Amino acid sequence: MDQETFAARHIEDVEIQEWLESLDSVLESSGTDVAREILERLRAHATVSGIDLPFTANTPYANTIPARLEPLFPGDQQLERRIKSLIRWNALAMVVRANRMEHNIGGHISTYASAATLYEVGFNHFFRARSENFEGDTIYFQGHAAPGVYSRAFLEGRISIEQLENFRRELKPGGGLSSYPHPWLMPDFWEYPTVSMGLGPLMAIYQARFNRYLENRGLKPVTDAKVWAFLGDGETDEPESLGAITLASREKLDNLIFVINCNLQRLDGPVRGNGQIIQELESAFRGARWNVIKVLWGSEWDPILERDTEGLLVKRMGEVVDGEYQKLVVSSGDYIRQFFFGSDPRLLKLVEPLPDEALRRLRLGGHDPRKVYAAYRAAVDHKGGPTVILARTIKGYGLGEAGEGKNVTHQQKKLNEEELREFRSRFGIPMSDEDLSEVPFYRPTEESEEIRYLRAKRESLGGYTPQRRVRSKPLVADHDELFREFHDGSDGREVSTTMAFVAMLRKMLKDHEIGKLIVPIVPDEARTFGMESLFRTVGIYSSVGQKYEPVDVNTLLYYKEAKDGQILEEGITEAGSVASFIAAGSAYATHGINTIPFFIYYSMFGFQRIADFIWAAADMRTRGFLLGGTAGRTTLAGEGLQHQDGNSHVLALPVPNLLAYDPAYAYEISVIIQDGIRRMYKDGESIFYYITVMNEPYAMPAMPPGVEAGILKGLYKFRAAVNKKAKLRAQLFGNGAILNEVVRAQEILEQKYGVAADVWSVTSYKSLYTDGIETERWNRLHPGQRPRVPYVTECLDGSQGVLVAATDYLKTLPNMISKWMPRRLASLGTDGFGRSDGRTSLREFFEVDSRFITLATLHELYQDGLVGKDVVLKAIEDLGIDPEKSNPVIS
Ligand SMILES: Cc1ncc(C[n+]2csc(CCOP(=O)(O)OP(=O)(O)O)c2C)c(N)n1
Ligand SMILES: [Mg+2]
């Protein structure tokens, strides 16, 4: 540096120092508000003076809450550390022991090791349990931290040593503990499934919003209950994690707290080796108007920061990239001094009095209960919006050589004797070297200080958490009257199944028992489904009511938003909508309220787009109805390849507790919904429903007598052949809108070809399939008993003729039940990419119209030697079918 620049730099430094000192004195004499005002005025003045200040949503790389504003820690820190250490030990032991007993059974030590303080401060001071008089806080635990949650429940006496022993070995006698939070597997314990990363944060946002919805609609009292979501910093890369954060601020959800465990690592390595994930997240959340609290540095840093009157240390903290920070964690005090502080002689001076060992022991904020407590306190007290706490921690904290801060730590599940000894000593676990090799679980006696303290703390917070309990009372669900009118048919009037469903919804909304409990959810498709009349009648939920006069106020069906509006109009987010569906469909457990969600959406954008959420809904025992609207590959005309759904009923197959129906007629829908409400809300079954509804208008027939049971089981004879004496016979199967094509084929076959065909409505291929495989299984396991008969076989017993099925979905649906049919089945379906065109052309293209059904039937008869080849050839000609037409499966 030459003399001149050195002098200029010196002047700069002096000036900067003066400015900083005067700010300090303002802070001291007039407080933060005045200081903020001055800075804002300065910023404005600078802009007017032509200084282009770069936009930044970031604050310096420092704790948001300065030491001087920290509240007093209200607990016994020593005792809490001892409890936490025991939890750390048992969590580690659980994973190590499981992997000794069963090689490669897996499990995670390092996630909880880094998050222990974040959870323990919550358990000891914040998380309120659900009780008779208070709904309690809702906590989404990070899935991979499950061992720590089990370990605490063990100390609390809620989980036995045998269960701990069987962590990840759930099939052992007496049962074990599931790898991650799964309410399906542990329905008395876990409430929220989180382990598919990204789902938890988004579900938490919509849960917090749904809590407000219940309050604003008067369905639950207003409380200060919080929703806490714990997530990993790596997890924030999932688009779902941050995908709804603006909703949380827009809705001013100050009942929502995110805690992001920023250990700077994910599974393979650093989250942002060349950047700073904390700063990146801060700007994203601040940009979305969240209250951001950074908890980066532990109390040991405070005196050093205090000595740093020039702000050099904070500046240095902001320069170091995460990859280097991770290295510092595993480095010696000497290296820290040289690399971190050595960048400036003035920094070196700051830490001159500290020995290397002290530098190595400078804790991070997320491991310091005082800092974490201060952040939680501020978050809980914050008004007007959601809070995110960005807590810096070390992945694998305390594992030392076995994995602390190492890239491999996420997968670490085995520790050698030496590593175990070190961990034991570091956390003061009262265990001898000899005992150590067995890695035994350790629980102090009931009378010990630790257990008494832990119990007392939980008692003061209302009991234990997590704990899942069904809190709602069963409904009476006597709805014969409500649904009866839909059994009568439409008197020739052409209506779509969607219209019929909306008419039912309208009636249900008026019902004295379930009216208030219905939660209609739409992702900006209400008009598509003809639901706009509901806007006026029940209103669209808005936490602020309606601050404007809607443009269509003079019309009958104006866009009415209201604080107690019932419809959740979510905008274009199927993910957000299904999260609302989950919150509403699980309120029977969370809140003891039997809300009944009806989530109606474009069927192609359901399973195909948000199947993992639906899987989580299933795990969570969510109740309610998913309505796939505009369904059917050839029934949704015009929209084309991305919209036309011939897939969803196949994608619904894997979800074990989901019933899937593709009804053709209004009475079928009414029977299914009525029974669904009874099964879910009266009998308390952990099932939910997927029903496809279509937009093709046609006359709705009246319900034939005695078909209810068949509708629910998935198959019934809709229309028998008229000519009982015909020699040529067929059984035709149709579902959804294609059933009408089948009925037309029945007529053509009878009139033109002398074939008498019975028509069957297949309301649920899934149910038939499930019944078939269950029957097969039972028979296999009980060879000594009279074999059971699959429902499909039972229905077709004694039926005559060839078998032909046509569906608007993949051919795999009929094919998968054909093995239980008495004879060969010909399947027509819509495998392939959709097209934009009209229904007639689409059904021709996909070969599922009445002509192709006729052809398939004749061809089957020909194969059985019942008609000649000439009949089929002539039919192809007469029906106007081009045998060389393009193949819909792949064209
Ligand atoms: C959707 C999804 N993708 C991948 C995984 C596998 N997985 C489990 S943990 C993990 C890394 C987690 O890192 P982070 O979120 O930072 O959590 P940490 O353990 O560091 O606290 C990954 C990739 C998953 N569980 N879910
Ligand atoms: Mg991480």
Side-chain angles (χ1 to χ4, degrees), residues 9 64 135 291 302 387 436 481 520 539 571 590 723 749 858:
R9 166 92 184 270
T64 306
E135 64 183 289
N291 175 37
D302 289 337
T387 292
L436 211 56
E481 195 56 44
T590 309
N723 182 356
L749 282 163
L858 294 174

Side-chain angles (χ1 to χ4, degrees), residues 111 114 142 144 195-197 232-235 238 261 263 265-267 271 395 410:
T111 299
S114 73
Q142 197 185 348
H144 296 79
V195 79
S196 176
M197 309 196 113
D233 48 358
E235 184 172 5
E238 288 288 0
N261 179 14
N263 52 28
Q265 286 179 246
R266 45 182 163 81
L267 193 153
V271 180
K395 190 144 178 168
H410 190 82

Side-chain angles (χ1 to χ4, degrees), residues 126 466-467 493 605 639 649 741 798 830 834 840 847:
F126 291 93
Q467 205 179 152
R493 202 164 54 90
F605 306 132
E639 290 290 349
H649 278 286
E741 295 290 341
T830 59
T840 310
E847 302 164 15

Side-chain angles (χ1 to χ4, degrees), residues 331-621:
S331 299
S332 65
D334 179 44
Y335 181 89
I336 295 169
R337 189 183 306 277
Q338 281 191 27
F339 175 79
F340 185 74
F341 295 98
S343 66
D344 188 316
R346 291 168 294 181
L347 284 176
L348 275 176
K349 211 161 173 49
L350 280 180
V351 289
E352 214 168 47
L354 298 177
D356 285 354
E357 187 51 22
L359 291 189
R360 226 174 54 77
R361 286 180 176 281
L362 290 170
R363 260 182 316 172
L364 294 180
H367 295 301
D368 184 339
R370 274 164 55 191
K371 301 288 181 197
V372 174
Y373 179 84
Y376 286 7
R377 185 82 268 149
V380 164
D381 292 344
H382 181 72
K383 293 275 178 291
T387 292
V388 57
I389 291 162
L390 302 172
R392 230 193 108 183
T393 64
I394 295 170
K395 190 144 178 168
Y397 186 67
L399 291 182
E401 282 304 306
E404 187 167 278
K406 303 232 163 100
N407 276 337
V408 294
T409 193
H410 190 82
Q411 306 291 67
Q412 178 60 284
K413 12 200 149 284
K414 292 175 181 159
L415 272 73
N416 63 31
E417 302 255 325
E418 169 69 27
E419 290 159 348
L420 283 170
R421 249 198 317 276
E422 252 182 48
F423 191 91
R424 184 267 330 254
S425 306
R426 173 160 182 183
F427 293 109
I429 311 297
M431 198 170 286
S432 68
D433 283 1
E434 295 83 72
D435 289 346
L436 211 56
S437 61
E438 290 296 309
V439 211
F441 296 119
Y442 178 80
R443 184 172 187 269
T445 63
E446 281 302 317
E447 292 70 40
S448 64
E449 254 190 309
E450 288 89 345
I451 299 295
R452 279 189 311 172
Y453 183 89
L454 170 143
R455 282 194 191 282
K457 281 289 174 199
R458 286 313 313 166
E459 257 163 49
S460 69
L461 290 162
Y464 297 114
T465 191
Q467 205 179 152
R468 184 182 177 280
R469 219 168 334 121
V470 174
R471 289 154 219 278
S472 65
K473 305 251 176 316
L475 294 182
V476 176
D478 175 12
H479 295 126
D480 284 349
E481 195 56 44
L482 195 162
F483 288 102
R484 186 166 302 136
E485 76 169 73
F486 301 100
H487 298 180
D488 295 342
S490 61
D491 245 350
R493 202 164 54 90
E494 298 203 327
V495 292
S496 66
T497 47
T498 306
M499 288 159 77
F501 161 71
V502 173
M504 277 170 228
L505 183 61
R506 210 175 290 127
K507 269 198 102 172
M508 286 189 273
L509 284 163
K510 290 195 184 123
D511 183 79
H512 69 97
E513 185 185 41
I514 56 170
K516 268 191 147 19
L517 299 173
I518 305 279
V519 182
I521 303 166
V522 278
D524 200 26
E525 294 287 358
R527 291 183 201 280
T528 312
F529 305 127
M531 289 170 68
E532 62 269 40
S533 66
L534 299 179
F535 289 169
R536 239 298 297 285
T537 45
V538 296
I540 295 163
Y541 173 71
S542 155
S543 57
V544 294
Q546 192 156 38
K547 294 176 169 180
Y548 62 96
E549 186 175 279
V551 64
D552 51 3
V553 71
N554 294 324
T555 65
L556 194 63
L557 308 176
Y558 74 90
Y559 197 83
K560 180 181 154 197
E561 299 196 61
K563 218 168 160 169
D564 61 353
Q566 196 159 352
I567 300 171
L568 286 173
E569 162 60 87
E570 298 294 14
I572 311 165
T573 166
E574 282 76 15
S577 304
V578 77
S580 281
F581 175 79
I582 292 170
S586 58
Y588 71 91
T590 309
H591 297 290
I593 303 168
N594 281 315
T595 35
I596 309 172
F598 285 85
F599 168 27
I600 178 160
Y601 56 88
Y602 233 112
S603 80
M604 193 63 159
F605 306 132
F607 282 88
Q608 191 132 310
R609 188 167 182 126
I610 48 162
D612 205 17
F613 276 107
I614 296 175
W615 189 254
D619 184 351
M620 219 166 127
R621 298 161 180 270

